[in-house]
Amino acid sequence: MLNVLFKLLLYKSFYHIGFPKLLPMSYTISLTYECNSRCSTCNVRKKIENANPNRSKYKELNLEEYKKIFHSLGKSPFWVTFSGGEVFLRKDIIEIVNSFYDICQPKIINIPTNGILTHKIVKSIEAICQHCVKSQIIVNLSIDAIGEQHDQIRNFNGNYQKALLTLNKLKKISFRENPPPPLPHSKVKKYKNLSVGIHTVISKFNIDNFAKIANTLMELKPDQYITEIAEERNELETIGMDITPELIDYKAAMDFMIHRIKHTNIKKRMNRITQAFRIEYYKLSKAIIRYKKQVIPCYSGIVSCQISPEGDIWSCCVTGRSLGNLKKSKYNLKYIWKNKKFQNERKLVKDKKCHCPLANAAYTNMLLDFKTLYRVFYRSFIKWWN
């Protein structure tokens, strides 16, 4: 932990004076644009169809290429998110994640999924948990509504039931605080390093009954329930789409979530810290959307970055600007990290020419904001309900 705190101070130095040029500690690695859902809030598959109608030019990085990239990252990753598309459509998902663990040794591995491929997801997560024993494996099921409403948002009949089935099967193999008594002769292995959550994208399609959706999903007792606002992103091909809810409606949804968290009896200190950060994120996202500016400094391109399925490096998936390609840089991120494009991108971000409530970046930014850390400390250790 002290090592992490020291690195955070070095990142602040990188932000202010451009030195030392550390590699990021938070990575989002998009493994594919392929997806078996057709969400109303996402057009990620169009990145294949629009750019390459015959699909002949779209070529995802393969396992051997990923290994070269991972070696270039060294031990810099603390947190990694493997995203898509739907990551479990990759036949080599286990090999990719396990290779990342072997080479980079991250503390946290986060894998979101729509939950459709139940058997593949559960078997893959079992294999990953068995191999990545010193990493916390977080699997978040994307569920945006209840029953048919979720299927309509996702444009996939039966998606909701498949997601629930996947959720329940993953919960059975995760070691929980108060697990139900095992069945006689049960041989189901429990993994202490597995955390199973639910993630909801708040959009114009579900904002009207969000409180009911959130209450219903939290009653399923996931290890964590998180939300994020639908927004226009280059990565998802959603620029110009009318998907973001009105500020007054989103504010009401976030106020509901904050109230719910504050009035939950949370005994474990680590869970209090997690939920305190969540409260800060909900407040921050409201402020960013209201004022349309960075509320706290953004460290995208310094502490975090994203790798596209074709090897492009972005500082942030919202802008989705390619700052270099790993295939053209001998699969070495360091070459791209120090180039002129990245320097210009960092200056743009530092000058607050952009703003967004992207959750992955926001949580990283909060770690580097001393006022936020003070509030988290106060809420977690002194007065939870304040």
Side-chain angles (χ1 to χ4, degrees):
M1 183 57 70
L2 289 176
N3 181 48
V4 173
L5 292 174
F6 179 67
K7 283 191 73 174
L8 291 176
L9 292 175
L10 292 179
Y11 281 122
K12 288 186 79 70
S13 174
F14 185 4
Y15 176 84
H16 287 289
I17 65 174
F19 181 84
K21 282 186 169 59
L22 301 176
L23 288 177
M25 62 185 297
S26 175
Y27 294 84
T28 298
I29 302 177
S30 297
L31 298 179
T32 183
Y33 291 137
E34 299 282 5
C35 192
N36 43 8
S37 289
R38 299 293 182 271
C39 302
S40 301
T41 56
C42 174
N43 282 329
V44 72
R45 284 190 84 255
K46 287 189 176 180
K47 293 191 80 69
I48 305 171
E49 298 164 0
N50 291 347
N52 307 291
N54 58 5
R55 301 171 62 87
S56 61
K57 295 182 181 179
Y58 174 66
K59 190 175 182 181
E60 298 169 350
L61 293 165
N62 60 40
L63 177 60
E64 293 307 313
E65 289 176 308
Y66 275 120
K67 287 181 179 179
K68 293 176 184 177
I69 294 168
F70 299 160
H71 278 293
S72 82
L73 306 183
K75 302 299 188 293
S76 66
F78 181 85
W79 175 302
V80 62
T81 297
F82 288 101
S83 71
E86 172 54 40
V87 295
F88 291 98
L89 289 174
R90 291 264 327 209
K91 294 179 180 179
D92 54 0
I93 176 66
I94 297 172
E95 291 79 9
I96 291 174
V97 176
N98 288 352
S99 294
F100 187 89
Y101 172 80
D102 290 339
I103 297 168
C104 300
Q105 300 178 11
K107 296 299 182 185
I108 300 171
I109 298 174
N110 180 41
I111 309 176
T113 175
N114 58 27
I116 292 173
L117 302 172
T118 301
H119 181 75
K120 172 74 180 293
I121 294 167
V122 176
K123 290 300 179 184
S124 298
I125 292 302
E126 281 188 296
I128 290 168
C129 287
Q130 287 174 8
H131 188 86
C132 307
V133 292
K134 293 184 179 180
S135 288
Q136 179 69 28
I137 312 300
I138 302 173
V139 182
N140 284 317
L141 278 294
S142 299
I143 305 179
D144 296 336
I146 308 303
E148 290 184 3
Q149 186 184 10
H150 176 72
D151 293 353
Q152 290 168 0
I153 293 173
R154 295 271 162 166
N155 290 294
F156 188 106
N157 291 333
N159 194 332
Y160 182 72
Q161 290 303 323
K162 289 178 183 291
L164 288 190
L165 178 62
T166 303
L167 174 70
N168 290 328
K169 285 184 175 291
L170 288 173
K171 284 168 63 177
K172 285 181 181 179
I173 64 172
S174 67
F175 187 89
R176 307 172 73 78
E177 287 184 49
N178 299 302
L183 297 172
H185 311 296
S186 174
K187 295 183 179 180
V188 176
K189 186 172 182 179
K190 305 283 187 178
Y191 298 97
K192 290 186 177 181
N193 61 334
L194 175 61
S195 175
V196 185
I198 296 175
H199 175 275
T200 296
V201 175
I202 303 176
S203 68
K204 285 196 169 183
F205 307 108
N206 61 6
I207 189 67
D208 290 341
N209 60 334
F210 171 74
K212 179 181 178 181
I213 292 168
N215 276 330
T216 302
L217 295 178
M218 283 188 277
E219 286 172 4
L220 298 175
K221 300 189 182 302
D223 292 320
Q224 64 272 339
Y225 177 68
I226 58 179
T227 69
E228 189 168 9
I229 191 169
E231 55 185 329
E232 298 184 11
R233 298 187 196 173
N234 278 320
E235 178 202 19
L236 304 180
E237 292 285 334
T238 53
I239 302 298
M241 292 178 61
D242 188 22
I243 57 176
T244 306
E246 297 295 330
L247 172 61
I248 189 170
D249 296 325
Y250 181 69
K251 181 179 181 299
M254 291 302 93
D255 289 343
F256 166 79
M257 290 300 300
I258 292 170
H259 176 83
R260 177 78 186 245
I261 293 172
K262 283 184 176 181
H263 290 81
T264 299
N265 183 20
I266 303 174
K267 297 180 180 179
K268 294 188 79 173
R269 186 71 67 186
M270 184 53 66
N271 290 345
R272 282 193 176 190
I273 294 171
T274 301
Q275 295 302 331
F277 269 109
R278 201 145 285 151
I279 288 173
E280 291 300 319
Y281 169 68
Y282 293 145
K283 290 181 176 180
L284 177 64
S285 63
K286 286 193 301 181
I288 292 171
I289 294 169
R290 178 179 180 181
Y291 298 113
K292 293 181 169 49
K293 68 177 184 178
Q294 289 183 28
V295 177
I296 61 176
C298 179
Y299 290 82
S300 291
I302 292 178
V303 184
S304 61
C305 75
Q306 183 155 342
I307 302 174
S308 82
E310 297 176 286
D312 288 321
I313 301 294
W314 308 330
S315 68
C316 171
C317 68
V318 175
T319 56
R321 284 189 286 268
S322 177
L323 304 172
N325 185 277
L326 286 162
K327 292 180 181 180
K328 299 176 181 178
S329 303
K330 299 180 180 179
Y331 304 100
N332 194 331
L333 180 64
K334 293 176 184 176
Y335 293 156
I336 301 172
W337 200 241
K338 297 177 181 180
N339 70 20
K340 189 67 176 177
K341 282 186 177 180
F342 242 118
Q343 292 177 28
N344 292 336
E345 183 80 359
R346 292 185 189 109
K347 185 178 186 306
L348 183 150
V349 176
K350 185 179 178 182
D351 291 344
K352 300 186 177 182
K353 300 296 184 182
C354 60
H355 64 273
C356 74
L358 182 67
N360 265 5
Y363 283 107
T364 305
N365 296 338
M366 288 190 293
L367 283 172
L368 288 139
D369 183 69
F370 292 141
K371 290 182 180 179
T372 301
L373 290 180
Y374 171 78
R375 290 194 296 270
V376 168
F377 176 85
Y378 183 82
R379 189 182 301 282
S380 303
F381 293 90
I382 299 175
K383 196 172 182 181
W384 166 253
W385 57 86
N386 183 54

